[in-house]
Amino acid sequence: MKPVQIAEGIYDVGVNDWNIRDFHGYSTYLGTSYNAFLIVDEKIALIDTVKKEFADQLIANISQIVDPRKIDLVISNHTEMDHSGGLARVMHRVGEDKPLYCSKMGHKNLQRHFPQNWNYQAVGTGDELSLGRRTLAFMETKMLHWPDSMFTYLKEDKILFSSDAFGQHYAGQEKFDDVVGDRIMPHAKKYFANILMVYGPRVLKLMEQVQSLGLEFKMICPDHGVLWRDNPAKIIDAYVRWSKQEAKKKAVVVYDTMWHSTEKMADAIASGLAAAGVDARPMHLRKWHRSDIMTEVLDAKAIIVGSPTLNNNLFPTIADFLTYMKGLKPAGKLGAAFGSYGWSGEAVKFINRELEAMDFELVDPGLRHQYIPEQDALEKCYQLGVKIGEMVGAQTA
Amino acid sequence: MKYVCTICGYVYDPEIGDPDNGVAAGTAWDDVPDDYECPVCGAGKEDFEPES
């Protein structure tokens, strides 16, 4: 990727990672980008780096604009290695003694990633740094989504460098929201659902803080994917909606199956939901990636989980998914369990226990069926779908 | 009683306190200052719950 000028004297010098398909367990079908930003003012600042193996590309991009040795200071908004991994190479080129700005937690956490004794300058909310004609203001955004996370705001240009917030795992030639269009929104939603859903209440608090400070954004530049320059309010509004976990008239039937019996039950339940006017899709856990299912969970009202019983236990993919979903803390959901079994049939009980631990409202004791569900059993599944569908209808706009 | 940060899972143990952040060992949760922040993630005192 060539450097992209995003405003006068400001460049995205990041890189595309076209080939990554699994980002710590999150599926990235279109790859991702690691954005890094160079601000050329009286002082020259670099905001964030890239994943370690792309550090040379980052340095080559910077070199097309300035000699890296002329960079006066580096800012690390986030310690995670897709943004800090390049620091060792970068600091080596820029100068090991140059100031490295980060949050207080960033200082602690970077020291646990890198042995170098860099010239750390810990900053907090309200601290400012003059580059000459322009001023950077820092804002800590702890646990959005790591303790070290922070925003850097370029006051005169009203540009927010938002680290992972508002990002999308998307590699493309298009670098701006108005160029890529609305097809970027599902990627932004997936990012929120899988990375930030658990921190929704903190996102809302941060939005209030931003409003009370009267901060305006002409452009929001996340560290992944496209930059929001056409309508930054659109992604902010979406974050508020997603943080509240506003549910649609929608249900997700997530399941796995061994001999198609639990699959038949899933299909019948989804038909019942649809008959009640609810958008419902059966999602097989070995056909759909867990991160895609979480994207659907974000704005669904009901989550119905089906598992065969394998050796007196949950089917492993279901245990995987339940653990993953629990960590992301979906709120205000209706839940139910179902599954076929051969002789013992504990899976439904185990699913119920997990859904209750997630504070789901269990709307039914669950449906267990021994071996192959025939018409009568499938009718019960269908009726369960209708019942849940009616509850979803009553509880969503 | 121990208190857990609901944001990151840090556990405040009154026997240990949080001496790095000015809370001496032996300080009960009620006596921890109102402006106390979780040493791991920076959440406020109101984000803690009793450990179950």
Side-chain angles (χ1 to χ4, degrees):
Chain A
M1 197 166 106
K2 290 222 160 211
V4 178
Q5 177 154 327
I6 62 173
E8 168 115 37
I10 307 172
Y11 305 84
D12 181 355
V13 287
V15 302
N16 272 322
D17 186 349
W18 296 103
N19 293 327
I20 189 168
R21 290 293 177 270
D22 181 335
F23 192 98
H24 62 42
Y26 172 138
S27 69
T28 47
Y29 305 115
L30 296 175
T32 191
S33 72
Y34 313 114
N35 303 336
F37 303 95
L38 188 74
I39 305 174
V40 180
D41 202 86
E42 287 166 27
K43 281 186 179 167
I44 301 177
L46 175 68
I47 302 180
D48 289 324
T49 71
V50 298
K51 220 174 174 181
K52 186 178 179 182
E53 57 263 42
F54 294 91
D56 285 341
Q57 270 189 52
L58 169 67
I59 288 165
N61 285 347
I62 294 169
S63 302
Q64 292 181 48
I65 300 158
V66 295
D67 180 341
R69 283 172 297 189
K70 292 197 171 145
I71 291 176
D72 295 285
L73 58 112
V74 177
I75 294 162
S76 168
N77 276 334
H78 181 25
T79 304
E80 200 168 7
M81 284 178 283
D82 49 334
H83 310 296
S84 73
L87 268 178
R89 290 277 295 125
V90 164
M91 294 307 286
H92 185 69
R93 287 297 300 271
V94 167
E96 303 279 358
D97 57 339
K98 297 279 175 69
L100 175 54
Y101 289 83
C102 56
S103 66
K104 197 167 76 181
M105 292 307 297
H107 182 194
K108 274 192 188 175
N109 291 349
L110 283 168
Q111 283 181 316
R112 294 186 172 226
H113 283 71
F114 300 96
Q116 292 90 335
N117 191 19
W118 285 320
N119 176 13
Y120 288 107
Q121 301 289 324
V123 288
T125 299
D127 287 342
E128 296 191 350
L129 174 65
S130 173
L131 298 178
R133 296 184 302 277
R134 290 169 157 124
T135 319
L136 294 171
F138 302 103
M139 184 177 205
E140 285 176 271
T141 57
K142 289 174 185 168
M143 293 318 284
L144 289 176
H145 67 114
W146 275 22
D148 45 75
S149 298
M150 71 171 190
F151 286 171
T152 299
Y153 179 62
L154 189 54
K155 287 174 80 172
E156 292 76 7
D157 300 80
K158 298 186 179 8
I159 298 177
L160 179 70
F161 299 96
S162 62
S163 183
D164 277 337
F166 312 116
Q168 334 90 45
H169 282 314
Y170 178 85
Q173 305 295 0
E174 318 90 335
K175 217 48 242 189
F176 297 101
D177 55 346
D178 52 309
V179 182
V180 71
D182 270 351
R183 67 194 165 86
I184 199 61
M185 291 310 284
H187 299 285
K189 182 182 168 196
K190 180 173 178 177
Y191 195 92
F192 184 92
N194 286 278
I195 307 284
L196 291 160
M197 184 196 257
V198 48
Y199 303 117
R202 291 187 82 74
V203 172
L204 293 174
K205 266 192 198 171
L206 179 70
M207 294 304 179
E208 279 172 25
Q209 195 187 355
V210 163
Q211 233 170 14
S212 71
L213 291 171
L215 294 185
E216 280 177 65
F217 305 130
K218 269 196 186 155
M219 203 186 302
I220 296 178
C221 301
D223 274 356
H224 296 288
V226 303
L227 317 180
W228 307 93
R229 72 173 176 191
D230 182 49
N231 186 9
K234 184 172 182 169
I235 188 64
I236 289 184
D237 291 347
Y239 262 51
V240 170
R241 206 167 56 243
W242 294 332
S243 295
K244 293 178 180 163
Q245 294 196 34
E246 287 176 6
K248 294 182 176 165
K249 214 178 276 283
K250 174 175 166 181
V252 178
V253 182
V254 52
Y255 72 99
D256 208 323
T257 194
M258 294 166 72
W259 292 103
H260 301 290
S261 292
T262 304
E263 179 177 55
K264 285 178 187 155
M265 296 174 80
D267 189 48
I269 293 168
S271 296
L273 285 158
V278 170
D279 173 17
R281 179 181 284 279
M283 300 182 93
H284 183 312
L285 263 165
R286 279 174 293 151
K287 310 294 176 191
W288 291 89
H289 195 272
R290 66 165 98 82
S291 55
D292 289 313
I293 297 177
M294 275 316 296
T295 312
E296 299 307 317
V297 166
L298 176 62
D299 56 7
K301 182 65 192 173
I303 317 298
I304 303 119
V305 182
S307 175
T309 296
L310 174 62
N311 299 328
N312 305 99
N313 270 288
L314 289 172
F315 197 75
T317 53
I318 301 294
D320 169 305
F321 177 73
L322 289 171
T323 301
Y324 187 62
M325 179 161 74
K326 191 182 196 174
L328 289 163
K329 291 195 182 165
K333 308 289 188 199
L334 307 178
F338 64 97
S340 162
Y341 64 98
W343 45 96
S344 56
E346 292 91 338
V348 163
K349 181 176 70 185
F350 292 150
I351 295 169
N352 280 344
R353 195 183 292 167
E354 287 301 309
L355 296 181
E356 279 181 325
M358 288 179 237
D359 291 330
F360 281 33
E361 184 191 336
L362 279 189
V363 300
D364 193 89
L367 286 180
R368 289 173 353 126
H369 187 80
Q370 190 172 22
Y371 292 115
I372 297 163
E374 300 299 349
Q375 204 46 48
D376 281 1
L378 294 177
E379 179 60 24
K380 281 185 193 156
C381 293
Y382 178 86
Q383 289 305 335
L384 176 65
V386 171
K387 178 173 115 177
I388 299 172
E390 284 169 353
M391 294 180 76
V392 169
Q395 296 184 26
T396 52
Chain B
M1 189 192 287
K2 292 179 185 174
Y3 274 72
V4 184
C5 173
T6 56
I7 306 298
C8 73
Y10 167 79
V11 179
Y12 175 82
D13 181 345
E15 278 185 29
I16 300 166
D18 183 5
D20 288 351
N21 293 292
V23 181
T27 306
W29 182 248
D30 285 348
D31 298 325
V32 170
D34 289 342
D35 60 357
Y36 178 72
E37 288 188 345
C38 172
V40 173
C41 75
K45 196 180 170 187
E46 68 280 6
D47 290 317
F48 282 71
E49 285 179 357
E51 189 179 51
S52 55

